[in-house]
Amino acid sequence: MTQSPEFEPQIVAFCCLHCAYAAADLAGGSRCGYPSSIKIVAVPCTGRVDSLHLVKALEDGADGVMVAGCLPGRCHFQTGNLHANQRVEHVRHLLEEIGLEADRVRMINVSAGMGVQFAERAKEMAETITALGPNPLHVRKAKAPPRETAMEETN
Ligand code: FES
């Protein structure tokens, strides 16, 4: 799909405070950088990220959603990242079911010291979403008439 050159994907990244958040901070501090369109949301553990959070982010205008947790076996709450991974896979499946691209949602695992790797994965995510184009859910919502107007037309 060819995109207009001005398309800058909006990506929400739910980052575990114990690892990915620190890795993102390290990436920023060490100037290896990642796209500014990636908006970090700190969470105590990715295990707290529910499927609904992922869907809601897409519904509210994100073009992609990333969940970034501790490395397997290193979650401070033992299995939070494993549960998060299952939810991400569930949402990816749901997206496919409704005709959207599963790649709009992705999970990565990093340690606090993996700033470079965080930046690389974030850039990969931004490239993927740029190639996919704007989130059709949001585009449709933006084109829909305001609810009051729709009600008036039916009355
Ligand atoms: Fe980092 Fe659970 S504490 S993913």
Side-chain angles (χ1 to χ4, degrees), residues 20 22-36 38 40 66 68 106 108 110-111 113-127:
D25 202 31
L26 184 62
S30 57
R31 297 176 190 244
C32 43
Y34 53 88
S36 59
I38 296 190
I40 306 284
M66 200 165 92
R106 178 178 296 176
I108 69 166
V110 290
S111 71
M114 295 170 71
V116 173
Q117 290 85 346
F118 178 88
E120 285 171 356
R121 301 299 302 276
K123 283 181 203 162
E124 284 170 17
M125 179 73 177
E127 286 167 10

CSV table of all heavy atoms in Angstrom, one decimal, residues 20 22-36 38 40 66 68 106 108 110-111 113-127:
chain,number,residue,atom,x,y,z
A,20,ALA,N,11.1,-2.2,30.1
A,20,ALA,CA,11.0,-1.4,28.8
A,20,ALA,C,10.9,0.1,29.0
A,20,ALA,O,11.5,0.8,28.1
A,20,ALA,CB,9.7,-1.9,28.1
A,22,ALA,N,12.5,1.8,31.3
A,22,ALA,CA,13.9,2.1,31.5
A,22,ALA,C,14.7,2.0,30.2
A,22,ALA,O,15.6,2.8,29.9
A,22,ALA,CB,14.5,1.2,32.6
A,23,ALA,N,14.4,1.0,29.4
A,23,ALA,CA,15.1,0.8,28.1
A,23,ALA,C,14.8,2.0,27.2
A,23,ALA,O,15.7,2.5,26.5
A,23,ALA,CB,14.7,-0.5,27.5
A,24,ALA,N,13.5,2.4,27.2
A,24,ALA,CA,13.1,3.6,26.3
A,24,ALA,C,13.8,4.8,26.8
A,24,ALA,O,14.3,5.6,26.0
A,24,ALA,CB,11.6,3.7,26.4
A,25,ASP,N,13.9,5.0,28.1
A,25,ASP,CA,14.6,6.1,28.7
A,25,ASP,C,16.1,6.1,28.3
A,25,ASP,O,16.7,7.1,27.9
A,25,ASP,CB,14.5,6.0,30.2
A,25,ASP,CG,14.6,7.4,30.9
A,25,ASP,OD1,14.3,8.4,30.2
A,25,ASP,OD2,15.1,7.4,32.0
A,26,LEU,N,16.7,4.9,28.4
A,26,LEU,CA,18.1,4.7,28.0
A,26,LEU,C,18.3,5.0,26.5
A,26,LEU,O,19.3,5.7,26.2
A,26,LEU,CB,18.5,3.3,28.3
A,26,LEU,CG,20.0,2.9,28.1
A,26,LEU,CD1,20.9,3.7,29.0
A,26,LEU,CD2,20.2,1.4,28.3
A,27,ALA,N,17.4,4.6,25.7
A,27,ALA,CA,17.5,4.8,24.3
A,27,ALA,C,17.4,6.3,24.0
A,27,ALA,O,18.2,6.9,23.2
A,27,ALA,CB,16.3,4.2,23.5
A,28,GLY,N,16.6,7.0,24.7
A,28,GLY,CA,16.5,8.5,24.5
A,28,GLY,C,17.7,9.2,25.1
A,28,GLY,O,18.3,10.0,24.4
A,29,GLY,N,18.2,8.7,26.2
A,29,GLY,CA,19.4,9.3,26.9
A,29,GLY,C,20.6,9.1,26.1
A,29,GLY,O,21.5,10.0,26.1
A,30,SER,N,20.8,7.9,25.5
A,30,SER,CA,22.0,7.6,24.8
A,30,SER,C,21.9,8.0,23.3
A,30,SER,O,22.8,7.7,22.5
A,30,SER,CB,22.3,6.1,24.9
A,30,SER,OG,21.2,5.4,24.4
A,31,ARG,N,20.8,8.7,23.0
A,31,ARG,CA,20.6,9.3,21.6
A,31,ARG,C,20.6,8.3,20.5
A,31,ARG,O,20.9,8.6,19.4
A,31,ARG,CB,21.7,10.3,21.3
A,31,ARG,CG,21.6,11.5,22.3
A,31,ARG,CD,22.8,12.5,22.0
A,31,ARG,NE,22.8,13.4,23.1
A,31,ARG,CZ,22.6,14.7,22.9
A,31,ARG,NH1,22.3,15.2,21.7
A,31,ARG,NH2,22.7,15.6,23.9
A,32,CYS,N,20.2,7.0,20.9
A,32,CYS,CA,20.0,6.1,19.7
A,32,CYS,C,18.6,6.3,19.2
A,32,CYS,O,18.3,5.9,18.1
A,32,CYS,CB,20.3,4.6,20.1
A,32,CYS,SG,19.7,4.1,21.6
A,33,GLY,N,17.8,6.9,20.0
A,33,GLY,CA,16.5,7.4,19.5
A,33,GLY,C,15.5,6.5,18.9
A,33,GLY,O,15.9,5.4,18.4
A,34,TYR,N,14.3,6.8,19.0
A,34,TYR,CA,13.2,6.1,18.3
A,34,TYR,C,12.2,7.1,17.9
A,34,TYR,O,12.2,8.3,18.3
A,34,TYR,CB,12.6,5.0,19.2
A,34,TYR,CG,12.1,5.5,20.6
A,34,TYR,CD1,10.9,6.0,20.7
A,34,TYR,CD2,13.0,5.6,21.7
A,34,TYR,CE1,10.4,6.5,22.0
A,34,TYR,CE2,12.6,6.1,22.9
A,34,TYR,CZ,11.3,6.5,23.0
A,34,TYR,OH,10.9,7.0,24.2
A,35,PRO,N,11.3,6.8,16.9
A,35,PRO,CA,10.4,7.8,16.4
A,35,PRO,C,9.6,8.5,17.5
A,35,PRO,O,9.1,7.8,18.4
A,35,PRO,CB,9.5,7.0,15.5
A,35,PRO,CG,10.3,5.8,15.1
A,35,PRO,CD,11.1,5.5,16.3
A,36,SER,N,9.4,9.8,17.3
A,36,SER,CA,8.7,10.6,18.3
A,36,SER,C,7.2,10.3,18.3
A,36,SER,O,6.4,10.6,19.2
A,36,SER,CB,8.9,12.1,18.1
A,36,SER,OG,8.4,12.4,16.8
A,38,ILE,N,6.0,7.5,18.7
A,38,ILE,CA,5.7,6.4,19.7
A,38,ILE,C,5.5,7.0,21.0
A,38,ILE,O,6.4,7.7,21.6
A,38,ILE,CB,6.9,5.4,19.7
A,38,ILE,CG1,7.0,4.7,18.3
A,38,ILE,CG2,6.7,4.4,20.8
A,38,ILE,CD1,7.9,3.5,18.2
A,40,ILE,N,4.8,6.6,24.8
A,40,ILE,CA,5.0,5.7,25.9
A,40,ILE,C,3.9,5.8,27.0
A,40,ILE,O,3.7,6.9,27.5
A,40,ILE,CB,6.4,5.9,26.5
A,40,ILE,CG1,7.5,5.9,25.5
A,40,ILE,CG2,6.6,4.9,27.7
A,40,ILE,CD1,7.9,4.5,24.9
A,66,MET,N,2.0,-1.2,20.8
A,66,MET,CA,3.1,-2.1,21.1
A,66,MET,C,3.1,-2.3,22.6
A,66,MET,O,2.7,-1.4,23.4
A,66,MET,CB,4.4,-1.3,20.8
A,66,MET,CG,5.6,-2.2,20.7
A,66,MET,SD,7.0,-1.2,19.9
A,66,MET,CE,7.8,-0.5,21.3
A,68,ALA,N,5.5,-3.7,25.6
A,68,ALA,CA,6.9,-3.9,25.8
A,68,ALA,C,7.1,-4.4,27.3
A,68,ALA,O,6.9,-3.6,28.2
A,68,ALA,CB,7.8,-2.7,25.5
A,106,ARG,N,1.7,-5.6,18.6
A,106,ARG,CA,3.0,-6.4,18.7
A,106,ARG,C,3.5,-6.4,20.1
A,106,ARG,O,3.3,-5.4,20.8
A,106,ARG,CB,4.0,-5.8,17.7
A,106,ARG,CG,5.3,-6.5,17.8
A,106,ARG,CD,6.3,-5.9,16.8
A,106,ARG,NE,5.8,-6.0,15.4
A,106,ARG,CZ,6.4,-5.4,14.3
A,106,ARG,NH1,7.5,-4.7,14.5
A,106,ARG,NH2,5.9,-5.6,13.1
A,108,ILE,N,7.0,-6.9,22.5
A,108,ILE,CA,8.5,-7.1,22.5
A,108,ILE,C,8.9,-7.3,24.0
A,108,ILE,O,8.2,-7.0,24.9
A,108,ILE,CB,9.2,-5.9,21.9
A,108,ILE,CG1,9.1,-4.7,22.8
A,108,ILE,CG2,8.8,-5.6,20.5
A,108,ILE,CD1,10.1,-3.6,22.4
A,110,VAL,N,12.3,-6.8,26.5
A,110,VAL,CA,13.6,-6.2,26.6
A,110,VAL,C,13.9,-6.1,28.1
A,110,VAL,O,13.0,-6.1,29.0
A,110,VAL,CB,13.7,-4.8,26.0
A,110,VAL,CG1,13.7,-4.8,24.5
A,110,VAL,CG2,12.6,-3.8,26.5
A,111,SER,N,15.2,-6.0,28.4
A,111,SER,CA,15.6,-5.7,29.8
A,111,SER,C,15.9,-4.2,29.9
A,111,SER,O,15.9,-3.5,28.9
A,111,SER,CB,16.9,-6.4,30.1
A,111,SER,OG,18.0,-5.9,29.4
A,113,GLY,N,18.5,-2.6,30.4
A,113,GLY,CA,19.7,-2.2,29.7
A,113,GLY,C,19.7,-2.3,28.2
A,113,GLY,O,20.7,-2.0,27.5
A,114,MET,N,18.6,-2.7,27.6
A,114,MET,CA,18.5,-2.9,26.2
A,114,MET,C,17.9,-1.7,25.5
A,114,MET,O,17.0,-1.8,24.7
A,114,MET,CB,17.7,-4.2,25.9
A,114,MET,CG,18.4,-5.4,26.4
A,114,MET,SD,17.4,-6.9,26.3
A,114,MET,CE,17.3,-7.2,24.6
A,115,GLY,N,18.5,-0.5,25.7
A,115,GLY,CA,18.0,0.7,25.1
A,115,GLY,C,18.1,0.6,23.5
A,115,GLY,O,17.2,1.0,22.8
A,116,VAL,N,19.3,0.1,23.0
A,116,VAL,CA,19.5,0.1,21.6
A,116,VAL,C,18.5,-0.9,21.0
A,116,VAL,O,17.8,-0.5,19.9
A,116,VAL,CB,20.9,-0.4,21.3
A,116,VAL,CG1,21.1,-0.7,19.8
A,116,VAL,CG2,21.9,0.6,21.8
A,117,GLN,N,18.2,-2.0,21.6
A,117,GLN,CA,17.3,-3.0,21.1
A,117,GLN,C,15.9,-2.4,21.1
A,117,GLN,O,15.1,-2.6,20.2
A,117,GLN,CB,17.3,-4.3,21.9
A,117,GLN,CG,18.6,-5.1,21.6
A,117,GLN,CD,19.8,-4.6,22.5
A,117,GLN,OE1,19.7,-3.6,23.2
A,117,GLN,NE2,20.8,-5.4,22.6
A,118,PHE,N,15.6,-1.7,22.2
A,118,PHE,CA,14.2,-1.0,22.2
A,118,PHE,C,14.0,-0.1,21.1
A,118,PHE,O,13.0,-0.1,20.4
A,118,PHE,CB,14.0,-0.3,23.6
A,118,PHE,CG,12.7,0.4,23.6
A,118,PHE,CD1,11.6,-0.3,24.1
A,118,PHE,CD2,12.5,1.7,23.2
A,118,PHE,CE1,10.3,0.3,24.1
A,118,PHE,CE2,11.3,2.3,23.2
A,118,PHE,CZ,10.2,1.6,23.7
A,119,ALA,N,15.1,0.7,20.8
A,119,ALA,CA,15.0,1.7,19.7
A,119,ALA,C,14.8,1.0,18.4
A,119,ALA,O,14.0,1.4,17.6
A,119,ALA,CB,16.2,2.6,19.7
A,120,GLU,N,15.6,-0.1,18.2
A,120,GLU,CA,15.5,-0.8,16.9
A,120,GLU,C,14.1,-1.4,16.7
A,120,GLU,O,13.5,-1.3,15.7
A,120,GLU,CB,16.5,-2.0,16.9
A,120,GLU,CG,17.9,-1.5,16.7
A,120,GLU,CD,18.9,-2.6,16.9
A,120,GLU,OE1,18.6,-3.7,17.3
A,120,GLU,OE2,20.1,-2.3,16.7
A,121,ARG,N,13.6,-2.0,17.8
A,121,ARG,CA,12.2,-2.6,17.7
A,121,ARG,C,11.2,-1.6,17.5
A,121,ARG,O,10.2,-1.8,16.7
A,121,ARG,CB,11.9,-3.5,18.9
A,121,ARG,CG,12.9,-4.6,19.2
A,121,ARG,CD,13.0,-5.6,18.1
A,121,ARG,NE,11.8,-6.3,17.8
A,121,ARG,CZ,11.3,-7.3,18.4
A,121,ARG,NH1,11.9,-7.9,19.4
A,121,ARG,NH2,10.1,-7.8,18.1
A,122,ALA,N,11.3,-0.4,18.1
A,122,ALA,CA,10.4,0.7,18.0
A,122,ALA,C,10.4,1.2,16.5
A,122,ALA,O,9.4,1.5,15.9
A,122,ALA,CB,10.7,1.8,19.0
A,123,LYS,N,11.6,1.3,16.0
A,123,LYS,CA,11.7,1.8,14.6
A,123,LYS,C,11.1,0.8,13.6
A,123,LYS,O,10.4,1.1,12.7
A,123,LYS,CB,13.2,2.0,14.2
A,123,LYS,CG,13.8,3.2,14.8
A,123,LYS,CD,15.2,3.4,14.3
A,123,LYS,CE,16.0,4.3,15.3
A,123,LYS,NZ,17.4,4.1,15.2
A,124,GLU,N,11.3,-0.5,13.9
A,124,GLU,CA,10.7,-1.6,13.1
A,124,GLU,C,9.2,-1.5,13.1
A,124,GLU,O,8.5,-1.6,12.1
A,124,GLU,CB,11.1,-3.0,13.6
A,124,GLU,CG,12.5,-3.4,13.2
A,124,GLU,CD,12.9,-4.7,14.0
A,124,GLU,OE1,12.0,-5.4,14.5
A,124,GLU,OE2,14.1,-4.9,14.1
A,125,MET,N,8.7,-1.2,14.3
A,125,MET,CA,7.2,-1.1,14.5
A,125,MET,C,6.7,0.1,13.7
A,125,MET,O,5.7,0.0,13.0
A,125,MET,CB,6.9,-1.0,16.0
A,125,MET,CG,5.4,-0.8,16.3
A,125,MET,SD,4.6,-2.4,16.1
A,125,MET,CE,2.9,-1.9,16.6
A,126,ALA,N,7.4,1.2,13.8
A,126,ALA,CA,7.0,2.4,13.0
A,126,ALA,C,7.0,2.1,11.5
A,126,ALA,O,6.2,2.6,10.8
A,126,ALA,CB,7.9,3.6,13.4
A,127,GLU,N,8.1,1.4,11.1
A,127,GLU,CA,8.2,1.1,9.6
A,127,GLU,C,7.0,0.2,9.2
A,127,GLU,O,6.4,0.4,8.1
A,127,GLU,CB,9.5,0.4,9.3
A,127,GLU,CG,10.7,1.4,9.3
A,127,GLU,CD,12.0,0.7,9.4
A,127,GLU,OE1,12.1,-0.5,9.2
A,127,GLU,OE2,13.0,1.4,9.6
